[in-house]
Amino acid sequence: MGHPLGPHSTPAPAGTTAIPGLIPDLIARLPWPRWAIIAIAVAAGVLMVSCLLCVVCCCCRRGHRKKPRDREAVGLGSPQGTTSSHLVQPDVDTSETAPEDAQHWGRLQLSLEYDFSRQEIKVGLKQAADLRACGPGGTADPYARVSLSTQTGHSHETRVHRGTLCPAFQETCCFHIAQEELAGATLRVRVLGSKRFSAPEPLGELSLPLGAVDLQHVLEQWYQLGPPGAAEPEPSGELCLSLRYVPSSGRMTVVVLEARGLSPGLADPYVKVQLMLNQRKWRKRKTSARKGTASPYFNEAFTFLVPFSQIQSVDLVLAVWARGPQFRAEPVGKVLLGARASGQPLQHWADMLAHARRPVAQWHPLRPAREVDRALGLKPRLHLTLPGSR
């Protein structure tokens, strides 16, 4: 039935079958079993498919990278495009639309409202953004100081915000000013970086002429901060003190360390330490006088018993007194600490409560006595003319 073998044909080995074709013939000659050959073929196929998938993924990633670059290039030329930190530096002509100073000093959000019936302007400090770093780790401890050009010696300080370049102040202050004085008044907001043992570092400043602002409606908008102007003089000097509070025993220790920057014309400076409860004078102490110096070193400690239930109702007032040219003791300046304080004194008080049983020291600028008395709701003292004093 089968075909006869030719004279030149070679008989197949025993146990095998002659398969026509080149590849089947090579597979048949391999000494491996059939299941091993199938496994090798499957592994080679999986490897080839994986290589193809890797090539496709690389091409897709390159395509996605090219698209944002095109969008950023369009944003640089657009006047309304926002500039991000990873963009390429634009040309000189394009950079004039976004000055470097505007990005360097940051922004400030304010709200202004004038009450015509009460003759006062209400300034709402909302938040700041993109401030300049002045502390370790590229951060800062910013706070804001608000003042009005027509009212010397009256300013408002916000509390200090630790370790941020975008503080949310959310504080409001009021200034009494007549309507006819608004045209010539200027609102000044200084953003400062708090430092515990040195003078605060200016971070930016806003000078807003109120004559150019429409106060018929409530305004709330962002303002660009500029470089800080001339530093505000501290005519009264500074006072360094340390606070320590133990909640379990109610012992509050006030250490009057030293003062500096006092007027050379003052003699025999000393410090009065006064504790007030519910806006009433409660307890008071004073240091000894230091003669012949404008930078007296006291290092005197005073301990007051203040229960923890009353710590939020207490105001601590430190007043520097000295004899003036008329050889009469006069208040040089005061420092107010407590829950009703603001700015660095409020932050110092909060640090004392947050770090119980640990002394916390800090320098404070002396404020005018009338400004502190106004914040406490105290009436000014009347100076009576004595007989024969003329």
Side-chain angles (χ1 to χ4, degrees), residues 213-265:
V213 180
D214 183 14
L215 296 177
Q216 299 292 333
H217 309 282
V218 180
L219 300 178
E220 181 174 338
Q221 65 182 34
W222 285 91
Y223 295 92
Q224 200 72 47
L225 291 175
E232 295 180 354
E234 300 289 350
S236 302
E238 295 177 291
L239 180 66
C240 184
L241 59 107
S242 172
L243 298 178
R244 180 176 179 266
Y245 183 68
V246 182
S248 58
S249 61
R251 297 171 65 90
M252 183 175 66
T253 304
V254 182
V255 182
V256 182
L257 295 174
E258 58 179 317
R260 65 186 179 189
L262 301 180
S263 176

Side-chain angles (χ1 to χ4, degrees), residues 328-347:
R328 184 179 60 184
E330 300 176 355
V332 179
K334 294 184 178 182
V335 177
L336 170 63
L337 299 103
R340 292 193 298 164
S342 61
Q344 297 186 57
L346 177 61
Q347 187 63 43

Side-chain angles (χ1 to χ4, degrees), residues 6 19 37 84 110-111 127 181 212 229 233 257 275 290:
I19 303 174
I37 297 174
S84 56
L110 284 181
S111 67
Q127 58 183 329
E181 298 179 358
L257 295 174
L275 206 61
R290 298 293 188 267

Side-chain angles (χ1 to χ4, degrees), residues 49 63 69 74 126 160 165 176 221-222 246 263 329 353 382:
V49 173
R69 290 181 181 177
V74 173
K126 301 300 181 180
V160 181
L165 299 179
H176 292 275
Q221 65 182 34
W222 285 91
V246 182
S263 176
L353 298 178
L382 297 178

